Amino acid sequence: MPTLLSVIGRRLVGERIYKAVGAWGRWLFWGRNPLLQIIYLALMIGGNTMFVYLCYGFLPLHHRFGCWMTILQVYASFYVACKADPGVVTPDNVEFYISCYPYDNTLYYEKICSTCETKKPARSKHCKLCNHCVARYDHHCPWINGCVGQGNYRYFILFLFSTAFTCLYAAYAMANILYYNYAVGYGLFEATYRGKPLDKLMIIKLVIYYAGPVLVGLMFFSFMTGLAVLFFGAYHMYLSGRNVSTTETFRYEEARMRYQMTLEMERENVRVELEERQRQHAQKAAAESGDPAVALEAREGECYMRCERVNPAAADKEAAATLNDSDNDDGPEGDEADDNIGVGAGVGIGAASAASTTKSGSKKKRRRGGGGGPKANAGDGRGGGGGG
């Protein structure tokens, strides 16, 4: 799909325009640029300006001072988060960071960064956008146009909660204005229509009509934005409480998956080894006993285990085919062994043993009953001959 879009774009706009747009797109989406910083400032300045214009006259005295303090602290936290050092690793401070974060020889090993050509402390990472290693690297945040690491992680969390508090405070103030100044101030809860009080939906429509859709829309936008940023800040507080960075969560997940795969492979190898030992033990027991029935049972078990590794459904067919071959090739001794084993060989070693026990008991009963039959017939013959 990307190749097809590239070919279509080259043919539509030409090679020169396509290369220029591609370079601009790479700088915009894959390079370090202040685009999202500008967008953040535009949203905050525009939202604060609209809030002051629409709501400042309705605010009580203490909220008039509080709103200015809230607006100033969000800009201050944004500036500190953008300007603070994330913890860039240099030859001067690399030993300090190595002493702070020892190597665990599981995820982090002692090595040298191929780009910076310095020692790489544990829990650090080289950022391709910023082109330097950052101690306790968390992630690259485009909203502050820089990395988040040991040096500025606390300022980044302060920036998140400041933004969330400003948005939620503005939404709360606007909700109070809509309720007290419009719904209660205009007497909408006591108003009636055709002798009946107004329902909630009609009250909401009248509030939007009197206050204007701009104020209502700004309130909902501030509330949703503040809620999203608050959850993001709470997630980072959770990671901080566990002493894990965002990058390390993915690395730990990959390491856990590799460990599970290795453990499953080891279990499979142990299972195959145990089956091989059982097969060898059965063959040895059959060779020592010299009993054709035991030898045939060991042969069927070997076929069943070999087929079960590849296709469990084919194990029954091959075991039954082995039994048929033994019927044709083993001679009288093999036939007697087949009678002792029974027809349950196709369902596995355990079922074959159970069927063998049942079949052997029935054979012995028939032999005892059949042994009397020829004597009786002989007696009848003798008796018949004597009568003749």
Side-chain angles (χ1 to χ4, degrees):
M1 183 60 70
T3 305
L4 179 61
L5 294 177
S6 176
V7 172
I8 294 175
R10 291 175 186 273
R11 292 186 178 181
L12 288 177
V13 300
E15 187 70 22
R16 181 178 299 177
I17 299 178
Y18 177 81
K19 288 184 177 180
V21 173
W24 182 80
R26 285 191 296 272
W27 174 82
L28 184 62
F29 297 105
W30 302 103
R32 186 181 180 185
N33 59 81
L35 177 64
L36 289 182
Q37 287 180 302
I38 296 173
I39 293 176
Y40 175 82
L41 288 175
L43 290 174
M44 293 303 297
I45 293 174
N48 292 331
T49 303
M50 293 175 63
F51 174 78
V52 172
Y53 177 76
L54 295 173
C55 304
Y56 190 76
F58 297 100
L59 294 175
L61 182 61
H62 61 282
H63 277 290
R64 292 187 181 185
F65 288 101
C67 74
W68 288 114
M69 297 298 296
T70 304
I71 293 172
L72 292 177
Q73 62 89 24
V74 72
Y75 292 121
S77 64
F78 177 68
Y79 176 81
V80 172
C82 293
K83 289 296 184 181
D85 180 21
V88 179
V89 179
T90 61
D92 298 331
N93 59 13
V94 63
E95 296 297 335
F96 169 74
Y97 288 127
I98 291 176
S99 63
C100 291
Y101 304 106
Y103 300 100
D104 57 359
N105 294 325
T106 301
L107 292 178
Y108 301 104
Y109 301 89
E110 185 175 357
K111 58 183 179 180
I112 296 177
C113 179
S114 58
T115 305
C116 301
E117 296 182 353
T118 57
K119 291 182 180 181
K120 196 171 184 180
R123 308 183 70 180
S124 65
K125 185 179 178 181
H126 183 86
C127 180
K128 296 180 179 179
L129 298 178
C130 300
N131 196 25
H132 52 230
C133 290
V134 178
R136 199 185 180 276
Y137 181 86
D138 190 88
H139 68 285
H140 180 89
C141 180
W143 294 101
I144 63 174
N145 195 22
C147 297
V148 178
Q150 179 184 357
N152 64 344
Y153 190 70
R154 54 187 180 275
Y155 302 122
F156 175 73
I157 293 180
L158 176 64
F159 161 65
L160 292 178
F161 282 107
S162 298
T163 304
F165 176 75
T166 302
C167 294
L168 294 177
Y169 171 77
Y172 167 76
M174 286 184 282
N176 278 341
I177 291 172
L178 292 176
Y179 181 80
Y180 290 105
N181 292 86
Y182 290 97
V184 177
Y186 281 82
L188 298 180
F189 293 106
E190 293 81 12
T192 59
Y193 179 71
R194 292 182 180 180
K196 296 181 180 180
L198 300 179
D199 57 357
K200 294 181 180 180
L201 182 61
M202 181 59 68
I203 293 175
I204 293 173
K205 290 181 179 180
L206 291 175
V207 168
I208 296 174
Y209 174 77
Y210 288 121
V214 176
L215 181 61
V216 178
L218 182 62
M219 182 193 67
F220 278 105
F221 178 76
S222 299
F223 177 74
M224 297 304 297
T225 304
L227 201 62
V229 178
L230 180 64
F231 284 153
F232 189 61
Y235 172 70
H236 274 280
M237 289 296 294
Y238 166 74
L239 293 180
S240 179
R242 293 182 57 194
N243 194 20
V244 179
S245 64
T246 304
T247 304
E248 288 171 345
T249 55
F250 298 103
R251 299 193 65 175
Y252 285 144
E253 187 65 25
E254 294 176 359
R256 188 180 298 109
M257 293 177 62
R258 289 196 300 267
Y259 173 74
Q260 291 178 354
M261 293 176 61
T262 304
L263 189 61
E264 291 178 359
M265 292 176 62
E266 291 179 355
R267 288 176 179 174
E268 182 66 20
N269 294 334
V270 171
R271 188 181 70 85
V272 172
E273 185 178 354
L274 289 176
E275 290 180 355
E276 185 67 20
R277 290 182 180 180
Q278 292 176 359
R279 183 184 64 82
Q280 293 177 0
H281 180 72
Q283 289 180 351
K284 183 178 179 181
E288 292 177 355
S289 63
D291 189 358
V294 178
L296 182 59
E297 185 176 356
R299 183 180 174 189
E300 291 167 358
E302 179 184 355
C303 296
Y304 190 83
M305 287 187 294
R306 187 174 64 251
C307 292
E308 193 179 23
R309 295 172 190 169
V310 181
N311 186 4
D316 300 339
K317 296 182 180 179
E318 183 158 343
T322 305
L323 182 60
N324 294 333
D325 293 341
S326 64
D327 289 339
N328 299 328
D329 300 336
D330 290 343
E333 295 181 356
D335 295 338
E336 184 178 358
D338 295 340
D339 293 337
N340 292 330
I341 293 176
V343 295
V347 295
I349 302 173
S353 301
S356 173
T357 305
T358 307
K359 193 72 174 181
S360 300
S362 61
K363 282 288 184 179
K364 291 178 181 179
K365 291 180 181 180
R366 286 201 298 270
R367 286 173 183 172
R368 288 195 296 268
K375 292 180 180 179
N377 292 336
D380 293 341
R382 287 193 299 272

